[in-house]
Amino acid sequence: MKVIVAGAGRLGTQIAQVLGAARNQVTLVDRDDDRVAALEGRVPAELCAGDACEPAVLEAAGAHAADLVVATTGEDEDNLVVSLLAKRQFKVPRVIARINDDENAWLFDAHWGVDTAVPAAAPLVSLVEEATSASDTVALLRLSKAGVDVIETSIGPHSRAAGHTLAEIAVPHGIVVATVVRAGDPLAPAPELELREGDELLVVSHTATPSEVHAVFQ
């Protein structure tokens, strides 16, 4: 998998280390020339000095062929610009962006090209690891006060749930489908709603693991 990580701070470097070690093709981009030079030979990734907010820099990093872009800079405005460019100009299939200031969380959505937005305190490395694995199911976050997990799973061409209504799918107790996102639009999870290839489901559960949710829908 071709991955571009924008921002070579502690978090971006850690993500590059993890994904590069897993034999993904990773390019780490940062505007600080000295930081990039210091990382030479220390991370299993290609290094690109430049501002990822500039289309030419993303293009040089291989955005046209990227499967995933992760925006991890310390500035929310930069992460949004990187996300928008990745999605709109380079048609990157999946974009993950870090939210540094919770007050800006409302901006991190499909309008800005963000597929998955992650608060700074959330385990972004684990999320990115799962997003680049063979699984179509990812644990998005833990709602600690409510004691539940929000888990995303997508319907692929070989998913057993494709072509079936929600009422026809045997969902174990404790797993609740919160919404179905189709072509960027959230749909109410009515029993008669038939799932299609490309649908993304947000599932809420206090007991199920991503692998258990994957088993239900895949």
Side-chain angles (χ1 to χ4, degrees), residues 68 93-96 114-118 127 130-131 133 135-141 149-155 175-182 198-205 208-215 217-218:
L68 171 68
R94 189 162 185 83
V95 178
I96 298 177
V114 178
D115 295 304
T116 304
V118 185
L127 173 61
E130 292 182 83
S133 71
S135 174
D136 296 308
T137 306
V138 179
L140 294 182
L141 53 90
D149 289 307
V150 179
I151 300 171
E152 178 191 42
T153 187
S154 58
I155 304 300
I175 296 178
V176 177
V177 178
T179 189
V180 176
V181 180
R182 179 173 295 164
D199 285 351
E200 295 182 340
L201 284 69
L202 292 185
V203 175
V204 178
S205 176
T209 64
S211 60
E212 289 170 334
V213 172
H214 180 85
F217 296 98
Q218 303 304 325

Side-chain angles (χ1 to χ4, degrees), residues 89-161:
Q89 182 159 339
F90 297 101
K91 311 300 182 185
V92 177
R94 189 162 185 83
V95 178
I96 298 177
R98 177 190 188 187
I99 304 171
N100 295 282
D101 186 341
D102 290 340
E103 292 186 0
N104 296 329
W106 65 278
L107 289 166
F108 286 73
D109 60 14
H111 294 292
W112 278 94
V114 178
D115 295 304
T116 304
V118 185
L124 181 56
V125 174
S126 297
L127 173 61
V128 173
E129 273 190 288
E130 292 182 83
T132 55
S133 71
S135 174
D136 296 308
T137 306
V138 179
L140 294 182
L141 53 90
R142 177 77 177 175
L143 301 178
S144 56
K145 290 185 178 180
V148 297
D149 289 307
V150 179
I151 300 171
E152 178 191 42
T153 187
S154 58
I155 304 300
H158 304 296
S159 299
R160 71 183 70 183

Side-chain angles (χ1 to χ4, degrees), residues 54-76:
E54 297 180 5
V57 173
L58 278 181
E59 184 172 10
H64 279 302
D67 301 294
L68 171 68
V69 166
V70 187
T72 69
T73 79
E75 302 293 335
D76 284 342

